[in-house]
């Protein structure tokens, strides 16, 4: 087979699709490392092992009650719990006068680094979670996103998930990272520039056209009335897929309360399908959202999912040129079958949640 070269929709990034032979999903299943972990700081009963929660949800007779830990007391019986990271990459202003900005003057990594504990159940990851639990998770993303993006020193809020040790998760309890940055990261900035240019030329959202096109392409994977999943044309990760709202929305904050349970179920189908197809592979996912109101017309939020099934080496690290050994069209076909099975099982009420 001849290798094929493809460029990303928006980024100046190339991938070589190099498929050597006929492939089955089992070719990509990785052996699981046996891991031993000590006491889990995220499990109920160990709340004192984390900083006080900045947000937690409790169930009450009137529905979900939201609060935060106060006066060194750690509340229990939470549904989801959001805490500052004990080892933050970015940390909040400490009240000191801002540092001078000369050449080579150290600049403090100003921002916020939080962990959303997605469930009191250690193993309630999105691939097996009760959809009702994922509703709390999505609502908590919205709460923290709203809170953090209102701060003047915050320019971008990144919500992402590391799943499995090889994908960077040091603790196996289901959790998401939420990092508020003092700048817009490079990838998002590049997507913003390209989509702004497309808007200036044609007054159309480039993402809306991508999703319309991919919906009818062999890279289409799954859809419901609100969301669609597809394998991107020039995906650099094996089995990479994106989740995007069908309606034009620039940030996750645009989703309506009615759409939250729809997204929760969609996530459950996608991650349940991924888990069953590739035996719970390590993966990362990240939300890409418009940083401000200014990008409302031309940016369109989406989630990019990167299964971690290969090791990037010199070509990738030194040049940012990637090799993908699974055609996105083939990945989409396998994922589609897996999502279909997952949806059928969900409908049967077989949630397999532990
Ligand atoms: Zn745990
Ligand atoms: Zn759009
Ligand atoms: Zn993106």
């Amino acid at each position: 087979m001849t290798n094929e070269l493809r460029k990303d929709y928006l980024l100046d990034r190339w991938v070589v699709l190099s498929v050597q032979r006929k492939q089955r999903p089992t070719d990509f299943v990785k052996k699981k490392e046996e891991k031993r972990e000590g006491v889990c700081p995220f499990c109920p009963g160990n709340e004192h092992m984390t900083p006080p929660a900045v947000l937690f949800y409790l169930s009450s007779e009137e529905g979900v009650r939201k609060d935060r830990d106060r006066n060194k007391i750690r509340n229990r019986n939470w549904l989801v719990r959001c805490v500052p990271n004990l080892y933050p990459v970015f940390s909040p202003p400490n009240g000191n006068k801002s540092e001078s900005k000369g050449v080579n003057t150290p600049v403090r990594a100003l921002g916020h680094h939080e962990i959303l504990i997605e469930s009191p159940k250690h193993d309630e990851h999105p691939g097996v979670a009760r959809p009702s639990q994922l509703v709390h998770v999505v609502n908590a993303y919205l709460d923290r996103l709203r809170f953090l993006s209102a701060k003047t020193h915050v320019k971008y809020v990144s919500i992402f998930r590391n799943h499995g040790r090889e994908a960077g998760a040091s603790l196996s309890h289901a959790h998401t990272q939420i990092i508020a940055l003092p700048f817009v990261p490079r990838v998002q900035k590049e997507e913003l520039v390209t989509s702004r240019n497309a808007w200036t030329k044609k007054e159309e959202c480039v993402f809306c056209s991508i999703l319309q096109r991919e919906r009818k392409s062999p890279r289409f994977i799954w859809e419901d009335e609100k969301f669609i999943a597809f394998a991107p044309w020039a995906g650099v990760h094996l089995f990479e897929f994106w989740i995007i709202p069908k309606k034009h929305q620039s940030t996750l904050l645009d989703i309506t309360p009615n759409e939250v349970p729809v997204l929760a179920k969609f996530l459950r189908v996608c991650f349940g399908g991924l888990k069953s197809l590739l035996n719970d592979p390590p993966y990362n996912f990240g939300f890409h959202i418009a940083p401000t109101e200014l990008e409302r017309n031309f940016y369109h939020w989406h989630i990019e999912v990167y299964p971690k099934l290969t090791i990037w080496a010199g070509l990738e690290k030194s040049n940012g040129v990637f090799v993908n050994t699974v055609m996105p069209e083939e990945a989409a076909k396998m994922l589609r079958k897996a999502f279909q099975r997952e949806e059928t099982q969900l409908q049967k009420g077989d949630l397999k949640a532990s």
Side-chain angles (χ1 to χ4, degrees):
M1 260 183 253
T2 326
N3 292 345
E4 190 180 327
L5 191 60
R6 291 187 184 179
K7 188 177 169 293
D8 185 73
Y9 305 113
L10 299 131
L11 309 176
D12 186 16
R13 186 184 68 189
W14 293 85
V15 61
V16 180
L17 298 168
S18 170
V19 182
Q20 303 303 337
R21 59 196 160 77
K22 185 131 182 62
Q23 295 160 326
R24 292 153 305 178
T26 45
D27 296 340
F28 307 101
V29 168
K30 297 184 79 177
K31 261 212 189 103
K32 283 241 184 301
E33 269 178 61
E34 274 299 317
K35 50 181 189 269
R36 268 178 194 282
E37 283 179 29
V39 179
C40 173
F42 298 164
C43 269
N46 299 337
E47 288 83 359
H48 60 280
M49 294 177 74
T50 68
V54 291
L55 173 75
F56 58 79
Y57 289 2
L58 291 174
S59 61
S60 75
E61 283 183 6
E62 296 84 49
V64 172
R65 188 168 73 77
K66 303 177 183 186
D67 205 346
R68 63 184 176 86
D69 288 335
R70 293 163 213 272
N71 308 324
K72 296 189 179 163
I73 291 167
R74 304 287 199 277
N75 284 269
R76 297 199 169 189
N77 300 319
W78 40 271
L79 298 164
V80 290
R81 183 166 188 262
C82 188
V83 296
N85 194 318
L86 210 46
Y87 308 102
V89 178
F90 290 87
S91 31
N94 50 19
N96 289 349
K97 274 189 192 153
S98 60
E99 300 93 314
S100 65
K101 285 205 181 126
V103 179
N104 293 338
T105 316
V107 176
R108 213 161 79 76
L110 190 68
H112 303 261
H113 189 168
E114 300 179 348
I115 301 288
L116 177 73
I117 304 164
E118 297 165 13
S119 168
K121 297 181 185 178
H122 187 89
D123 290 317
E124 194 165 18
H125 294 279
V128 294
R130 295 158 292 164
S132 58
Q133 184 64 27
L134 291 175
V135 168
H136 300 317
V137 173
V138 174
N139 277 325
Y141 289 165
L142 287 166
D143 285 336
R144 294 318 291 165
L145 182 54
R146 204 172 286 120
F147 178 84
L148 292 168
S149 35
K151 297 192 173 290
T152 46
H153 59 272
V154 170
K155 298 290 177 266
Y156 191 83
V157 179
S158 177
I159 302 175
F160 64 90
R161 202 171 191 283
N162 302 331
H163 183 82
R165 208 159 272 268
E166 297 96 322
S170 50
L171 289 166
S172 62
H173 194 117
H175 69 281
T176 304
Q177 312 233 7
I178 302 173
I179 297 192
L181 302 156
F183 56 86
V184 178
R186 188 179 61 82
V187 172
Q188 281 81 351
K189 203 181 274 174
E190 225 178 289
E191 286 188 350
L192 285 163
V193 168
T194 317
S195 53
R196 183 186 291 116
N197 289 344
W199 176 261
T200 316
K201 268 188 216 146
K202 294 195 206 159
E203 285 217 2
E204 71 176 18
C205 162
V206 65
F207 294 93
C208 281
S209 357
I210 292 169
L211 82 89
Q212 285 312 332
R213 206 162 63 231
E214 295 301 19
R215 202 174 158 227
K216 294 181 218 111
S217 84
R219 290 170 297 280
F220 167 79
I221 304 174
W222 198 248
E223 69 179 330
D224 64 13
E225 70 273 29
K226 301 285 184 192
F227 299 93
I228 175 167
F230 62 89
W233 159 256
V236 297
H237 301 86
L238 279 70
F239 293 89
E240 177 173 341
F241 64 92
W242 292 9
I243 297 167
I244 187 161
K246 290 180 174 177
K247 194 167 71 184
H248 181 79
Q249 294 180 336
S250 65
T251 159
L252 179 65
L253 292 173
D254 291 343
I255 89 169
T256 63
N258 293 339
E259 289 167 342
V260 171
V262 184
L263 178 60
K265 188 182 162 224
F266 200 81
L267 293 173
R268 174 63 169 79
V269 169
C270 292
F271 288 99
L274 179 68
K275 178 178 190 287
S276 75
L277 181 68
L278 297 164
N279 190 28
D280 196 17
Y283 67 78
N284 305 96
F285 79 60
F287 282 83
H288 283 181
I289 58 172
T292 70
E293 272 296 306
L294 296 173
E295 298 87 14
R296 164 147 307 280
N297 287 331
F298 57 82
Y299 198 77
H300 193 129
W301 75 268
H302 54 283
I303 304 170
E304 300 191 3
V305 185
Y306 318 128
K308 172 103 176 67
L309 301 164
T310 46
I311 294 170
W312 283 354
L315 182 65
E316 289 84 359
K317 290 182 179 168
S318 161
N319 312 293
V321 174
F322 299 87
V323 177
N324 188 340
T325 54
V326 183
M327 293 298 283
E329 293 74 14
E330 276 305 306
K333 202 197 284 178
M334 292 187 236
L335 287 167
R336 197 179 311 131
K337 275 190 200 148
F339 287 19
Q340 174 71 67
R341 278 195 304 269
E342 202 60 29
E343 164 89 17
T344 312
Q345 287 200 341
L346 254 187
Q347 291 209 341
K348 278 194 226 150
D350 176 16
L351 294 184
K352 292 186 287 182
S354 51

